[in-house]
Amino acid sequence: GANYPLYIRSTPTENELKFHYMVHTSLDVVDEKISAMGKALVDQRELYLGLLYPTEDYKVYGYVTNSKVKFVMVVDSSNTALRDNEIRSMFRKLHNSYTDVMCNPFYNPGDRIQSRFVCLGRAFDNMVTSMMIPVC
Amino acid sequence: MEAAAAAAAGGGCGSGPPPLLLSEGEQQCYSELFARCAGAAGGGPGPGPPEAARVAPGTVTAAAGPVADLFRASQLPAETLHQITELCGAKRVGYFGPTQFYIALKLIAAAQSGLPVRIESIKCELPLPRFMMSKNDGEIRFGNPAELHGTKVQIPYLTTEKNSFKRMDDEDKQQETQSPTMSPLASPPSSPPHYQRVPLSHGYSKLRSSAEQMHPAPYEARQPLVQPEGSSSGGPGTKPLRHQTSLIRSFSVERELQDNSSYLDEPWRITEEQREYYVNQFRSLQPDPSSFISGSVAKNFFTKSKLSIPELSYIWELSDADCDGALTLSEFCAAFHLIVARKNGYPLPEGLPPTLQPEYLQAAFPKPKWDCQLFDSYSESLPANQQPRDLNRMEKTSVKDTADLPVSTQDVTGDDKQALKSTVNEALPKDVSEDPATPKDSNSLKARPRSRSYSSTSIEEAMKRGEDPPTPPPRPQKTHSRASSLDLNKVFQPSVPATKSGLLPPPPALPPRPCPSQSEQVSEAELLPQLSRAPSQAAESSPSKKDVLYSQPPSKPIRRKFRPENQATENQEPSTVASGPASAATVKPHPTVQKQSSKQKKAIQTAIRKNKEANAVLARLNSELQQQLKEVHQERIALENQLEQLRPVTVL
């Protein structure tokens, strides 16, 4: 199916395109892992895909929801303070915020979660901001 | 460009700015504004703010006044207005033709939404530009601000609430405008198709004049509220948009009430009239005030307000505090209030104001008449206790309820017990009240569960309705539903302790009971034995509750469930008799058990039949409503087509 981003944020904003590219390429890895896992993912552990692949500068983590929405997180390798369970909790928060967005009847699944005018999913955006700032 | 008549404002051949896509509401608003600017001076609108370009002398232009006033009323900084005038091409062509004017309006809207003043900004859907009006009664050249009318363009669902508006108007502080305001109220009935935005010919002018007088005052009041700087001399002309005024006026009245009420500094506070209006709207969507409006229903409803989808979704985000995809009464009121405020031009807040929080709303306002005090007292305990809330959302947490109930049976004292009892009390109206063990609770909670224990499905509503009639006369019905009243009476007395004792062991076995779809009733059924168990130790008459249950099976599915359970319990009674306090009486239940089973069967069958009838009725009703909906849709499409043809061609 179409693999377009519902939401993408990066900081710092330089090299943004590179991050976009990395996220996109990591989707293949995510798909690999999903297909390897097989049927319905109900366990939280199965939702979290862990480190997808490391590059020399970055680590890419993946997470997939029950509805096959994929979260990809790229963190700097020099950020050694981030441990696996922290990544997990970040994904969990992402998932919860995403669920809240879904609860909004005005949100159509597949819509971008960023809007030019009034942010649909403002809470989602704020949550992501709060996560990104301490990390960076 | 010639000046365009109001109805036929053409865009067309604007030179310079790129094609502009306008929504219907925008077209209407802009054409009216244009006409106003044009009509005010007998020509095309003149240049904008004084700093705008010179007007080509030979073209049809009005004085700079109308357009300048209009732009200033938008309360944008002068530099922005300058940019806008430049962008829209007025400077280039030297005057404000329709195209330039429309583009300027759209840019104003964009600027007010916080977007940069660029041509690209206007390519997207925007709210209508807002123009502040300062005062005056007949002197203003322009009618009431766009925000009142332009943005509040179509609110069709308000038609049914005209009467409430009437009342609100009556209470409107502006006594001097009371008579004019009454007249528009008379006209709304003549404007049923305002949903399709067919202009009112008749009521229209009346509305215009009345609204004109109405609005100045609130705007005056509001000026200090909103933007102290903003009061310009005139507002843009949007009178023509008042053909939706039945709705618009309601909003304006609400806003006026809101503004003119004592909370001048809190536009987010809901007044009593507004509250009542919201509650009525809630009821029209969902008869049960303690239940929810589902997301899709609310979406359809709020979409009618013609706010943009991003704004509506943002409002939803603000008001759905628990993010469950459904709106309780308080959440609905908050959302509605935000929509009203938004349509009146208030920018949406960053977070839900404290006066719109669900807890605050529940505590601040008594619930509607039918459930007033009971629900109020119940709802006040709601924030404090999560469990009643869970019970309120049985569909989601029924499992949790059943899990919680066994825990809380004996120890239930506070809300839990009341909550549980209340669901049970539904089934045990009079008898419960007579029950010495649970007199106060049942009395006070009798009405509560009726609304609380049912989710918003129509079936349950029907059940609830079905349950209501039988509750008042329990005794007579008891005998009525059973063939042999004598046996009943005899049965009840001796079986009281028996069932009581019989209930002691069964409760743990209740969950796997064969209750099909309504798990809430399972939980209620569980509640009943547990509750009767709890007080039963003390009094013999408490099990009479259960008997009452047996006796009212036809109309109460709960009891229907109880009956199988009762059969099970009664079957176990002989074996578990020993533990009951009234052990002597337990011997008697033996012969009565079989009689009760057969009676219960009959009762079950009657109940099934009645439910089937209710189902059939509802299905018929549903299909009829679907049919009506289709017809209305078709009408709407036809009218929209007509409108499209009549409307000036979209500036493409």
Side-chain angles (χ1 to χ4, degrees):
Chain A
N3 270 325
Y4 58 90
L6 295 178
Y7 181 91
I8 187 155
R9 276 276 294 282
S10 61
T11 169
T13 47
E14 70 260 17
N15 284 340
E16 197 166 343
L17 208 54
K18 180 168 84 165
F19 290 132
H20 289 204
Y21 174 70
M22 288 179 68
V23 167
H24 196 80
T25 54
S26 63
L27 289 179
D28 287 333
V29 185
V30 172
D31 284 336
E32 250 182 68
K33 294 209 178 226
I34 295 180
S35 53
M37 277 200 226
K39 51 264 180 238
L41 311 171
V42 279
D43 192 338
Q44 172 90 8
R45 190 183 313 274
E46 293 168 8
L47 298 178
Y48 175 67
L49 302 173
L51 185 65
L52 296 178
Y53 67 92
T55 67
E56 76 254 11
D57 293 327
Y58 302 99
K59 298 189 202 148
V60 184
Y61 296 92
Y63 182 99
V64 64
T65 71
N66 305 74
S67 49
K68 299 289 183 281
V69 175
K70 307 171 191 79
F71 295 129
V72 176
M73 197 183 312
V74 179
V75 294
D76 199 60
S77 286
S78 53
N79 196 336
T80 51
L82 269 184
R83 299 198 312 270
D84 192 64
N85 54 354
E86 285 171 1
I87 306 276
R88 274 180 200 266
S89 75
M90 285 164 71
F91 274 128
R92 210 173 12 247
K93 280 199 277 188
L94 271 173
H95 194 171
N96 288 337
S97 290
Y98 178 70
T99 313
D100 289 343
V101 170
M102 297 293 284
C103 281
N104 191 324
F106 298 102
Y107 173 76
N108 302 314
D111 283 354
R112 289 191 58 101
I113 305 184
Q114 283 157 316
S115 162
R116 283 165 297 175
F117 306 107
V118 178
C119 193
L120 165 70
R122 193 171 281 196
F124 187 86
D125 200 41
N126 292 340
M127 191 272 315
V128 172
T129 313
S130 67
M131 282 198 327
M132 290 171 86
I133 293 194
V135 169
C136 301
Chain B
M1 299 239 180
E2 285 99 53
C13 41
S15 56
L20 183 62
L21 272 171
L22 292 178
S23 71
E24 284 193 33
E26 283 175 334
Q27 277 188 336
Q28 196 117 24
C29 172
Y30 295 173
S31 63
E32 296 304 343
L33 287 172
F34 184 89
R36 186 143 289 283
C37 291
E51 51 268 32
R54 63 281 173 264
V55 178
T59 57
V60 190
T61 60
V67 177
D69 285 345
L70 178 68
F71 284 7
R72 271 199 294 276
S74 70
Q75 302 191 334
L76 294 173
E79 195 208 17
T80 314
L81 295 173
H82 187 73
Q83 272 182 309
I84 288 176
T85 355
E86 216 167 5
L87 266 179
C88 76
K91 278 203 173 157
R92 209 169 336 147
V93 301
Y95 55 81
F96 271 91
T99 316
Q100 286 78 33
F101 190 71
Y102 289 3
I103 292 175
L105 288 176
K106 191 112 191 189
L107 285 169
I108 289 176
Q112 285 175 337
S113 304
L115 297 171
V117 179
R118 297 270 178 279
I119 291 297
E120 303 80 44
S121 309
I122 62 177
K123 294 220 165 73
C124 334
E125 199 178 309
L126 289 169
L128 289 171
R130 300 186 294 278
F131 299 96
M132 297 303 175
M133 258 194 25
S134 62
K135 35 153 320 226
N136 53 51
D137 277 322
E139 290 150 15
I140 45 174
R141 284 162 291 186
F142 304 97
N144 298 323
E147 52 191 303
L148 262 193
H149 302 288
T151 55
K152 286 189 293 187
V153 165
Q154 296 86 13
I155 306 164
Y157 50 63
L158 290 181
T159 50
T160 59
E161 297 305 317
K162 292 179 211 135
N163 294 333
S164 65
F165 300 166
K166 198 179 185 81
R167 188 180 36 78
M168 288 195 290
D169 278 348
D170 288 341
E171 291 156 332
D172 193 339
K173 215 172 70 169
Q174 297 153 15
Q175 296 301 320
E176 67 277 4
T177 62
Q178 198 158 16
S179 51
T181 57
M182 293 310 292
S183 63
L185 289 169
S187 49
S190 67
S191 65
H194 56 260
Y195 178 64
Q196 293 89 0
R197 284 172 268 154
V198 172
L200 297 180
S201 52
H202 162 65
Y204 186 71
S205 50
K206 267 202 276 181
L207 295 176
R208 191 205 312 208
S209 56
S210 63
E212 195 178 345
Q213 293 162 24
M214 240 176 19
H215 296 303
Y219 276 97
E220 281 192 16
R222 219 160 60 83
Q223 290 304 319
L225 283 184
V226 183
Q227 285 163 15
E229 34 146 13
S231 34
S232 50
S233 56
T238 54
K239 278 187 192 178
L241 294 170
R242 239 168 291 161
H243 57 255
Q244 289 102 13
T245 36
S246 60
L247 308 172
I248 293 167
R249 202 167 346 94
S250 68
F251 276 160
S252 65
V253 167
E254 285 179 352
R255 210 175 46 76
E256 287 163 5
L257 291 173
Q258 167 189 331
D259 293 336
N260 298 328
S261 68
S262 51
Y263 311 110
L264 276 183
D265 54 348
E266 285 200 49
W268 304 117
R269 201 176 279 265
I270 299 181
T271 67
E272 194 56 41
E273 294 82 7
Q274 289 173 325
R275 171 78 176 189
E276 201 155 340
Y277 172 63
Y278 300 153
V279 170
N280 286 338
Q281 288 297 318
F282 183 94
R283 266 199 279 178
S284 73
L285 295 175
Q286 163 60 266
D288 183 351
S290 62
S291 177
F292 317 96
I293 292 184
S294 74
S296 46
V297 170
K299 172 181 175 178
N300 292 338
F301 184 72
F302 288 137
T303 309
K304 294 191 219 168
S305 71
K306 297 299 180 198
L307 283 181
S308 63
I309 296 290
E311 289 190 348
L312 287 172
S313 66
Y314 182 62
I315 287 177
W316 178 280
E317 262 194 48
L318 286 180
S319 51
D320 190 7
D322 43 19
C323 289
D324 61 352
L327 296 180
T328 63
L329 182 60
S330 309
E331 290 174 342
F332 176 84
C333 289
F336 208 135
H337 196 74
L338 287 169
I339 288 180
V340 169
R342 181 77 186 115
K343 293 207 85 82
N344 279 296
Y346 284 100
L348 289 176
E350 285 299 313
L352 192 65
T355 51
L356 289 182
Q357 300 279 349
E359 295 82 9
Y360 175 89
L361 287 176
Q362 279 169 348
F365 291 96
K367 288 299 174 293
K369 320 171 191 55
W370 13 282
D371 251 350
C372 198
Q373 306 100 348
L374 301 170
F375 191 74
D376 199 23
S377 52
Y378 163 70
S379 60
E380 273 161 5
S381 69
L382 191 62
N385 190 346
Q386 200 58 25
Q387 189 149 2
R389 198 184 180 113
D390 290 339
L391 281 174
N392 207 355
R393 307 187 178 194
M394 290 245 188
E395 4 176 45
K396 297 179 181 141
T397 60
S398 54
V399 175
K400 181 174 184 232
D401 286 344
T402 56
D404 287 339
L405 292 174
V407 175
S408 59
T409 50
Q410 299 289 345
D411 306 325
V412 168
T413 49
D415 285 344
D416 288 342
K417 181 167 191 183
Q418 286 181 358
L420 301 178
K421 273 185 167 326
S422 56
T423 60
V424 172
N425 289 335
E426 181 79 43
L428 318 166
K430 295 291 193 296
D431 287 337
V432 171
S433 57
E434 294 156 3
D435 181 359
T438 62
K440 13 180 205 341
D441 290 343
S442 53
N443 279 335
S444 61
L445 295 169
K446 196 191 327 185
R448 285 195 209 173
R450 187 171 2 142
S451 52
R452 201 156 50 82
S453 54
Y454 298 93
S455 58
S456 57
T457 62
S458 56
I459 293 179
E460 273 139 359
E461 281 173 30
M463 283 181 347
K464 176 177 73 147
R465 283 193 277 275
E467 291 193 33
D468 290 350
T471 51
R475 298 269 177 195
Q477 202 161 5
K478 188 162 58 171
T479 59
H480 173 65
S481 60
R482 295 294 170 88
S484 51
S485 53
L486 289 179
D487 282 349
L488 275 183
N489 293 333
K490 246 198 306 188
V491 163
F492 291 150
Q493 298 314 316
S495 67
V496 156
T499 54
K500 195 172 46 167
S501 57
L503 288 173
L504 292 172
L510 283 178
R513 210 174 348 143
C515 293
S517 56
Q518 288 125 6
S519 52
E520 65 189 290
Q521 284 161 353
V522 172
S523 63
E524 285 169 2
E526 274 185 275
L527 288 176
L528 179 56
Q530 288 161 352
L531 284 174
S532 53
R533 182 161 53 104
S536 68
Q537 305 299 336
E540 279 196 3
S541 54
S542 61
S544 62
K545 283 190 292 198
K546 206 157 194 255
D547 298 326
V548 173
L549 285 182
Y550 305 154
S551 64
Q552 303 178 32
S555 42
K556 298 217 173 184
I558 296 173
R559 279 189 291 269
R560 184 157 45 115
K561 305 290 186 294
F562 281 120
R563 245 167 285 110
E565 168 225 326
N566 190 35
Q567 285 172 342
T569 63
E570 285 183 340
N571 290 337
Q572 295 176 32
E573 277 170 4
S575 55
T576 59
V577 151
S579 56
S583 53
T586 59
V587 180
K588 286 182 196 157
H590 279 96
T592 61
V593 166
Q594 294 85 5
K595 282 187 204 151
Q596 277 185 341
S597 332
S598 61
K599 282 173 201 134
Q600 283 157 9
K601 264 188 225 159
K602 279 187 219 155
I604 291 174
Q605 282 160 2
T606 334
I608 290 176
R609 213 170 338 125
K610 291 209 177 163
N611 280 344
K612 279 191 188 158
E613 284 167 20
N615 271 350
V617 168
L618 288 172
R620 258 202 313 272
L621 184 64
N622 187 27
S623 57
E624 280 169 20
L625 288 173
Q626 293 285 346
Q627 191 62 30
Q628 279 183 20
L629 180 67
K630 266 185 239 167
E631 287 165 12
V632 169
H633 272 316
Q634 282 165 4
E635 265 184 47
R636 177 195 172 181
I637 291 172
L639 284 164
E640 279 185 354
N641 283 340
Q642 274 184 23
L643 198 59
E644 269 306 315
Q645 290 160 11
L646 292 174
R647 177 179 302 293
V649 177
T650 311
V651 182
L652 282 173

